[in-house]
């Protein structure tokens, strides 16, 4: 079984750097402003058009019907203070959370790879490195790490719509369920284990315990009296890698179970929409005496800014989905899985890698495909690039601000 091929985020003939999300040129201002892939301009534009049309309607009513619908400027300015407070607090929290998630994701992948590399390094230096028992133990360590990595991706990817409890690798060795356990009532079972989301969150925890059990099995590889494959310090180093992996997982998990408080998100959304769509009424006030063209320009500019910031929050809030700016969950997991296979190949050869690939289905790590159609067709600086690997268009999404 071969690892699934991932569609590149930039045209395949062009290497533009290490980014696994959106590639852009920060030194080219025009290309940066006009880039379409990964931008929210297309989503914000309808709101700008709607507010401009509202401004034109207000001007028409004033000029032709003498109907003045303007509001007091001072009241709108006072509202802007509250809107700025809500928007800035929500966005700063979301950006901080985005980069914290990025750190947890990096720690998670780093620990998985280091565990496999240390297992190979320690056993390659011992006297029993070519013994079948040691090779089988190395294989099991790599297998359990890949299954654990795949389970974490299943939990996080697309909001956990893929049940990690039912991944094929667990068919022969299913995880323990709470149903039927003495002392667990039906109501307690429903709320503690039966829900799909709670089951998903438990899978990596149980798989981590299996991995720890597999690590300490090195003590039983040889008869009593013989030295184990690892000494106590080496064993502790491997267990520390599992601890670091789970620390990254629990760092992400705590925000899955307790997201940003609803009242803050709700108030910010309401006040942003009210503020933006009352902006033309305030600019129409005779005290300002603004030309109509300037009024329309300021309306569209403020709409783009405030609605754009709100869409930025929407983009970053669910950072493990398929949007271009989401964290490279599947991309990084795929790179880690490939490095793990290479690690095993260096010590046990290609045959062991082929058996390992046949034991774990890594197609889930193919991840985002349709999301990169536009990036394949258009290079990072906005110029069209020829491509022959066109894929289906992304599914239509509902507008989160409507």
């Amino acid at each position: 079984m071969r690892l699934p091929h991932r569609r590149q985020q930039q045209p395949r003939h062009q290497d533009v750097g290490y980014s696994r999300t959106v590639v852009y040129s920060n030194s080219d201002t025009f290309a940066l402003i006009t880039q379409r892939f990964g931008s929210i301009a297309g989503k914000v534009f309808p709101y700008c058009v709607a507010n401009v049309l509202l401004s034109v309607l207000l001007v028409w009513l004033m000029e032709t019907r003498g109907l003045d619908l303007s509001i007091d400027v001072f009241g709108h300015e006072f509202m802007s203070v509250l809107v700025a407070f809500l928007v800035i607090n929500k966005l700063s929290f979301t950006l901080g959370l985005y980069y914290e998630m990025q750190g947890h994701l990096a720690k998670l992948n780093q620990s998985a790879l280091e565990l496999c590399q240390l297992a190979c390094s320690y056993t390659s230096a011992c006297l029993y490195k070519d013994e079948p028992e040691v090779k089988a133990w190395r294989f099991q360590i790599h297998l359990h790490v890949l299954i654990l990595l795949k389970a974490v991706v299943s939990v996080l990817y697309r909001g956990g719509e893929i049940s990690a409890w039912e991944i094929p690798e667990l068919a022969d060795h299913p995880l323990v369920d709470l149903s039927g356990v003495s002392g667990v009532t039906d109501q307690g079972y429903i709320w503690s284990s039966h829900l799909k989301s709670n089951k998903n969150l438990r899978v990596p925890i149980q798989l981590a315990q299996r991995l720890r059990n597999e690590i300490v099995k090195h003590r039983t590889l040889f008869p009593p009296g013989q030295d184990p494959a690892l000494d106590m310090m080496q064993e502790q180093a491997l267990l520390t890698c599992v601890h670091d992996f789970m620390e990254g997982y629990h760092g992400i998990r705590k925000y899955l179970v307790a997201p940003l408080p609803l009242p803050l998100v709700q108030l910010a959304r309401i006040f942003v929409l009210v503020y933006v769509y009352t902006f033309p009424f305030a600019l129409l006030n005779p005290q300002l005496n603004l030309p109509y063209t300037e009024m329309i320009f300021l309306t569209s500019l403020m709409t783009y800014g405030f609605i754009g910031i709100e869409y930025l929050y929407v983009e970053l809030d669910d950072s493990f989905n398929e949007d271009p700016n989401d964290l490279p969950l599947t991309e990084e997991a795929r790179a880690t899985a490939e490095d793990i296979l290479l690690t095993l190949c260096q010590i046990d050869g290609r045959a062991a890698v082929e058996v390992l690939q046949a034991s774990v289905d890594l197609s889930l790590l193919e991840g985002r495909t349709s999301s990169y159609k536009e990036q394949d067709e258009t290079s990072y600086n906005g110029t069209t690039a020829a491509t022959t690997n066109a894929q289906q268009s992304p599914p239509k999404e509902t507008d989160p601000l409507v």
Side-chain angles (χ1 to χ4, degrees), residues 121-130 134 138 222 228-230 234:
S121 297
Y122 292 155
T123 54
S124 65
C126 73
L127 298 175
Y128 317 114
K129 66 176 182 178
D130 295 325
V134 175
R138 278 195 300 259
F222 303 106
L230 306 177
Q234 293 171 338

Side-chain angles (χ1 to χ4, degrees), residues 239-255:
L239 293 174
T240 300
C241 288
V242 182
H243 173 270
D244 292 341
F245 184 98
M246 294 307 295
E247 193 172 43
Y249 169 70
H250 283 290
I252 297 174
R253 182 182 184 271
K254 67 182 179 181
Y255 290 110

Side-chain angles (χ1 to χ4, degrees), residues 143-157:
L143 176 63
H144 280 73
V145 170
L146 287 178
I147 294 176
L148 177 57
L149 186 64
K150 178 180 177 180
V152 171
V153 173
S154 300
V155 170
L156 301 178
Y157 187 52

Side-chain angles (χ1 to χ4, degrees), residues 73-126:
V73 179
F74 176 77
H76 203 264
E77 289 178 351
F78 182 77
M79 185 191 299
S80 66
V81 177
L82 181 58
V83 171
F85 171 79
L86 292 171
V87 169
I88 291 174
N89 275 275
K90 184 175 70 170
L91 184 59
S92 62
F93 177 86
T94 305
L95 281 173
L97 177 59
Y98 179 83
Y99 288 113
E100 187 176 346
M101 290 283 196
Q102 191 177 50
H104 290 314
L105 185 61
K107 185 174 186 179
L108 189 146
N109 285 284
Q110 176 188 354
S111 302
L113 179 57
E114 285 188 356
L115 172 57
C116 294
Q117 290 181 339
L118 289 177
C120 289
S121 297
Y122 292 155
T123 54
S124 65
C126 73

